[in-house]
Amino acid sequence: MSDQDIKKILADVTIPEPDETARESAISAAMQEYAKQNALVEKKIKGKSKSHRLISTFLSKLTFFGESTMKRRYIWSGAITACLIVAIFGINQLYEESKQMDHIDGQVLYEGRPSESTPIEAPPAKLDAPVPPPSTATVTEQSKTGPKEKTIEPQAVEEEMVMADMAAPEAVASPPASAPKTVPLKKAESNVYRKKAKTGVVRTMDFPATLNQTMVKPEPVQEADELFIGQLPEEGRDRFEDVKVNPVKQVVKNPVSTFSVDVDTASYAFVRKMLNRGVLPQKNAVRVEELINYFDYDYALPKDKEKPFQPTVAVYPTPWNSDTKLLHIGIRGYDIEPDKKPDTNLVFLIDVSGSMNQPDKLPLLKNAFRMLVDNLQESDTVSIVVYAGAAGTVLEPTKVKDKRKIVSALENLSAGGSTAGGEGIRQAYALAESSFVKNGVNRVILATDGDFNVGITNSDELKGFVERQRKTGIFLSVIGFGQGNYNDALMQTLAQNGNGNASYIDNLNEARKVLVEEANATLFTIAKDVKIQIEFNPAKVAEYRLIGYETRMLKREDFNNDQVDAGDIGSGHRVTAIYEIAEPGGKGILVDDLRYSKDKPAPTASNRENREYAFLKIRFKTPTSNKSTLMTVPIDEKKEFKSLKSVPEEVRFAAAVAAYGQLLRQDPYTKTFGFDDVIKLALPARGEDPFGLRNEFINLVRLAKSAKGL
């Protein structure tokens, strides 16, 4: 039998599955072929040509180990049959080994079939469609002269994937897709795609994050139902200032509480984004005062811009503690009439670094700023400065009447590079100064998703820079986008020291709220350095604690010091502060009196003072003045509501939001009050809700309950 005949036989053979049935079938086929060949050998050669008979005669004279070659024909047939059997079993063994090639020592090397020899305790991961590697890649190679970059073809190297251990979302921080990745060969700290050249030099390839994210080693998961691959955890990488909850204070020792007003709302929108993703936010991301002040409350509106506030106060039973009361302070700022709005000079300082190339970042930013431009006056001025690897002016100061030019400049923005935010701030202020509007609004609006890693990177240096610039009359507001590397602590610092406010935009509805509905409050300052001080009457209040405002607390002596900066209030802004208080001798007291203390409640001067819970003082400056003005309001029993049902809707809804924020932060003061109780308190107190924000709040409470697993 010739080689061609063997190949034809092998070509017709169907390779069965590697099991016992296939083995028996292979042996049976081999034995049948053996019998067929044996019958042909036994048949005598007759009627052949002369040449064929001569060859047969010649072969019969040859010997093979002492035996005639012609007599060894039976041995040849047996050998051929054995080769067939060995070939079939070899193919089966190769198939078995190929199935296990994807897993070595329990570690995934290539995506594909699951290993049958290595048990995987975790459920199979969900993978998107595989992403093919690019045709070329930039590699960093270590040499004697130092690191150098080289462009290579992936086809010219041997591929090796090194997988990182999968950690919990709270513990692992995924690096930005644009950041270079250098991973030791022994243990990787992030998902990387590595290649080893034929020379043995290990090179790290900076492939797209979408490719890296699909290369993950499955690990046993004890608590999670499924392990999703395709989006690396980002929650732990956002940075917030570490704050401690305001403690309970005794009036006999600390009768005065002083803080700066806060009109920021960034915390509420960030918390909403996290809950909509099905996870609870970081505790430090929850600033209760910003959750409360996110909503507009129907407080009394002042009519005189010389006295831009009309405080609203109330005392009523605490929803989460029957042994204490809440002291509610509400302030609403004077609202500028539309035809009396001053001209504005705005500089959009926009982050276009590589991390902004996500749908909820630069594309959302463009739509948000278009909304703002649509609502400006034709006499207003807009400039655009961008920063990535370097800062640059995209649009020189342009009147809004040339709206098409402004919108076109926004549309042409694209993301890429590192984050030279510090240099961008310098350039933005310089541009604002070049088109300064006297007796108007001069403001830089910073829009970013994260940190500054090029230019001015020191937080104290940035803080000092914006502090000096605010004295020139140019203020700074901050708008955050996206998540994953958002430096909230730095953004809050810049906004507070730049006489501006900090917002966070997670969707178009929030963009409309911040830049359209609240545009006047965002742009037009009616009072600056607004401070609040409460002096509690020890005859009526034994203990108190301020809910929220941890990052806004001031010293007692700061209240009368006009050199101390505080928060600003824009046109129509509402500010709410809530204290929880306990009366002397009541069950709500948490701090025991000292046995040997000489401190005693101060005697009251008159019956009138004896009826006062506290004395409210508000100090502020007008936008053009550097000298503060003082307002005072006594809070007496006339402001008290005996039952929670009699409290106005606006006040009850604010109390519900306060409870919600404390539950998210896991504050120790809400006792058994839960998310269901928040919903029960908020539902009948929604009042008018033209944009559905209060209904949305109730849904967020439900999401928080689900995310907490209650």
Side-chain angles (χ1 to χ4, degrees):
M1 179 179 293
S2 65
D3 291 341
Q4 293 293 335
D5 295 330
I6 294 175
K7 290 180 179 180
K8 290 180 179 180
I9 294 173
L10 290 176
D12 296 333
V13 174
T14 301
I15 301 176
E17 292 294 328
D19 54 19
E20 189 63 23
T21 303
R23 178 177 177 276
E24 293 176 359
S25 177
I27 294 175
S28 176
M31 294 302 296
Q32 291 178 9
E33 184 62 24
Y34 175 84
K36 179 179 178 181
Q37 295 299 325
N38 189 42
L40 292 175
V41 171
E42 290 179 351
K43 187 176 181 181
K44 295 181 178 181
I45 302 176
K46 295 182 180 180
K48 300 295 183 183
S49 63
K50 183 177 180 180
S51 61
H52 198 121
R53 290 197 299 273
L54 288 174
I55 293 173
S56 298
T57 303
F58 173 77
L59 291 175
S60 66
K61 299 299 184 182
L62 296 177
T63 60
F64 185 77
F65 287 97
E67 293 289 335
S68 170
T69 303
M70 297 299 290
K71 294 180 181 180
R72 294 285 180 180
R73 289 175 296 182
Y74 296 103
I75 298 176
W76 292 359
S77 300
I80 292 171
T81 304
C83 289
L84 287 171
I85 296 174
V86 171
I88 292 173
F89 277 102
I91 293 172
N92 290 337
Q93 184 64 25
L94 181 62
Y95 177 77
E96 286 290 318
E97 292 179 355
S98 67
K99 292 177 59 180
Q100 300 178 13
M101 285 295 289
D102 294 341
H103 295 74
I104 294 179
D105 295 334
Q107 192 172 26
V108 178
L109 297 182
Y110 300 96
E111 291 179 312
R113 300 175 299 274
S115 170
E116 295 179 4
S117 60
T118 304
I120 302 177
E121 299 179 19
K126 294 185 178 181
L127 293 176
D128 297 327
V131 181
S135 58
T136 62
T138 301
V139 301
T140 302
E141 185 175 357
Q142 194 72 23
S143 64
K144 294 181 179 180
T145 60
K148 58 181 181 179
E149 292 186 352
K150 182 180 180 182
T151 301
I152 61 173
E153 297 289 336
Q155 292 83 356
V157 295
E158 177 185 358
E159 296 187 357
E160 177 193 5
M161 300 180 187
V162 181
M163 299 293 110
D165 293 339
M166 199 71 172
E170 293 78 12
V172 175
S174 170
S178 61
K181 308 174 180 63
T182 304
V183 183
L185 184 60
K186 292 183 179 180
K187 184 174 181 180
E189 295 180 343
S190 63
N191 298 321
V192 295
Y193 187 99
R194 306 180 72 191
K195 295 199 172 188
K196 183 183 291 184
K198 294 181 179 179
T199 59
V201 178
V202 177
R203 299 172 177 178
T204 301
M205 306 189 69
D206 190 8
F207 280 146
T210 52
L211 177 62
N212 294 334
Q213 291 168 0
T214 61
M215 302 174 183
V216 180
K217 171 187 174 182
E219 290 289 349
V221 178
Q222 301 297 331
E223 298 180 358
D225 294 331
E226 290 183 317
L227 179 64
F228 292 96
I229 302 175
Q231 184 175 3
L232 294 179
E234 295 180 333
E235 291 80 5
R237 296 176 53 218
D238 300 299
R239 281 172 284 177
F240 299 88
E241 184 178 352
D242 188 14
V243 297
K244 295 182 179 179
V245 177
N246 283 330
V248 173
K249 294 186 177 182
Q250 290 180 297
V251 174
V252 293
K253 294 182 178 181
N254 298 283
V256 178
S257 173
T258 309
F259 63 95
S260 165
V261 298
D262 185 11
V263 294
D264 295 344
T265 59
S267 178
Y268 185 93
F270 188 89
V271 167
R272 175 177 58 200
K273 185 177 183 69
M274 298 300 294
L275 290 175
N276 282 329
R277 294 185 59 205
V279 295
L280 289 172
Q282 303 176 42
K283 290 184 181 179
N284 290 332
V286 182
R287 292 185 289 272
V288 182
E289 73 277 8
E290 293 189 20
L291 270 58
I292 297 172
N293 290 325
Y294 181 81
F295 299 94
D296 291 337
Y297 301 100
D298 191 20
Y299 298 145
L301 183 65
K303 299 179 180 180
D304 186 359
K305 64 179 180 180
E306 298 301 323
K307 293 184 178 180
F309 308 122
Q310 179 64 48
T312 299
V313 296
V315 178
Y316 56 96
T318 303
W320 54 84
N321 188 347
S322 59
D323 297 323
T324 62
K325 296 179 180 180
L326 294 184
L327 191 156
H328 180 108
I329 303 169
I331 297 174
R332 183 174 180 178
Y334 175 79
D335 204 352
I336 297 177
E337 298 178 11
D339 58 346
K340 294 183 179 180
K341 292 180 181 178
D343 289 340
T344 60
N345 168 36
L346 302 180
V347 179
F348 298 163
L349 176 57
I350 300 175
D351 181 357
V352 292
S353 59
S355 61
M356 289 290 289
N357 191 22
Q358 296 183 24
D360 62 343
K361 295 183 180 181
L362 188 57
L364 178 59
L365 182 154
K366 292 179 182 180
N367 288 327
F369 276 42
R370 276 202 304 265
M371 290 183 181
L372 175 57
V373 172
D374 286 339
N375 286 274
L376 295 176
Q377 303 173 120
E378 289 190 349
S379 57
D380 295 338
T381 303
V382 171
S383 311
I384 300 177
V385 175
V386 299
Y387 63 91
T393 299
V394 171
L395 181 70
E396 295 289 342
T398 303
K399 294 295 182 180
V400 174
K401 64 181 180 181
D402 196 358
K403 187 183 302 183
R404 182 175 299 179
K405 183 178 180 181
I406 300 173
V407 172
S408 177
L410 285 170
E411 288 296 329
N412 289 331
L413 297 180
S414 59
S418 54
T419 313
E423 293 303 320
I425 285 181
R426 289 185 188 274
Q427 193 160 339
Y429 273 105
L431 204 59
E433 187 176 358
S434 69
S435 53
F436 189 87
V437 177
K438 189 176 181 180
N439 298 324
V441 174
N442 298 274
R443 187 177 295 271
V444 175
I445 301 179
L446 169 62
T448 180
D449 74 329
D451 206 355
F452 302 156
N453 51 44
V454 179
I456 308 177
T457 57
N458 184 276
S459 297
D460 291 335
E461 187 178 352
L462 281 167
K463 175 182 175 181
F465 178 78
V466 298
E467 280 181 350
R468 292 190 297 272
Q469 291 298 323
R470 79 181 182 213
K471 295 179 182 179
T472 67
I474 302 174
F475 298 163
L476 173 69
S477 293
V478 179
I479 302 177
F481 290 85
Q483 68 177 99
N485 61 327
Y486 183 61
N487 191 342
D488 178 84
L490 178 59
M491 299 299 102
Q492 289 287 322
T493 298
L494 293 179
Q496 291 177 19
N497 289 278
N499 275 17
N501 54 295
S503 304
Y504 182 88
I505 293 178
D506 58 333
N507 54 51
L508 279 177
N509 285 333
E510 186 66 14
R512 175 200 54 76
K513 178 180 184 293
V514 172
L515 298 176
V516 178
E517 300 299 327
E518 298 177 355
N520 289 351
T522 302
L523 299 178
F524 306 118
T525 301
I526 61 169
K528 60 183 182 180
D529 294 339
V530 183
K531 307 169 188 176
I532 292 179
Q533 188 172 81
I534 297 284
E535 180 186 353
F536 289 97
N537 179 7
K540 293 288 289 183
V541 180
E543 295 175 352
Y544 68 90
R545 70 179 182 94
L546 177 60
I547 300 174
Y549 290 95
E550 284 84 0
T551 63
R552 298 280 187 162
M553 301 306 297
L554 297 174
K555 297 178 181 178
R556 181 175 177 178
E557 59 269 24
D558 292 339
F559 183 74
N560 293 322
N561 188 348
D562 286 347
Q563 300 303 313
V564 175
D565 182 57
D568 300 340
I569 292 182
S571 173
H573 251 147
R574 282 85 160 174
V575 178
T576 301
I578 300 175
Y579 284 89
E580 184 174 5
I581 59 177
E583 295 181 302
K587 296 180 180 179
I589 295 178
L590 295 178
V591 181
D592 293 334
D593 292 332
L594 294 176
R595 179 180 178 88
Y596 305 106
S597 174
K598 296 181 181 180
D599 293 329
K600 295 181 180 179
T604 57
S606 65
N607 291 333
R608 175 180 172 79
E609 291 181 1
N610 192 43
R611 295 195 299 269
E612 291 180 357
Y613 282 96
F615 191 69
L616 169 65
K617 294 189 287 186
I618 303 174
R619 189 172 287 279
F620 65 93
K621 300 174 186 175
T622 61
T624 59
S625 175
N626 291 321
K627 186 176 181 180
S628 64
T629 301
L630 178 66
M631 293 180 60
T632 60
V633 178
I635 305 174
D636 55 25
E637 294 177 348
K638 294 180 180 180
K639 307 295 193 304
E640 183 175 359
F641 296 87
K642 298 300 182 181
S643 67
L644 191 59
K645 292 182 179 180
S646 62
V647 176
E649 289 181 347
E650 301 295 297
V651 176
R652 277 185 285 144
F653 190 85
V657 180
Y660 165 72
Q662 293 177 89
L663 288 173
L664 286 178
R665 284 198 315 190
Q666 300 181 24
D667 288 0
Y669 302 110
T670 54
K671 294 192 173 183
T672 60
F673 202 81
F675 289 113
D676 287 334
D677 298 308
V678 173
I679 296 173
K680 185 178 179 180
L681 178 61
L683 272 174
R686 285 171 295 177
E688 294 185 7
D689 189 20
F691 299 107
L693 295 177
R694 299 193 178 192
N695 279 323
E696 180 191 56
F697 165 77
I698 293 171
N699 289 331
L700 290 178
V701 178
R702 295 190 178 103
L703 288 177
K705 177 184 176 182
S706 299
K708 203 173 179 65
L710 298 178

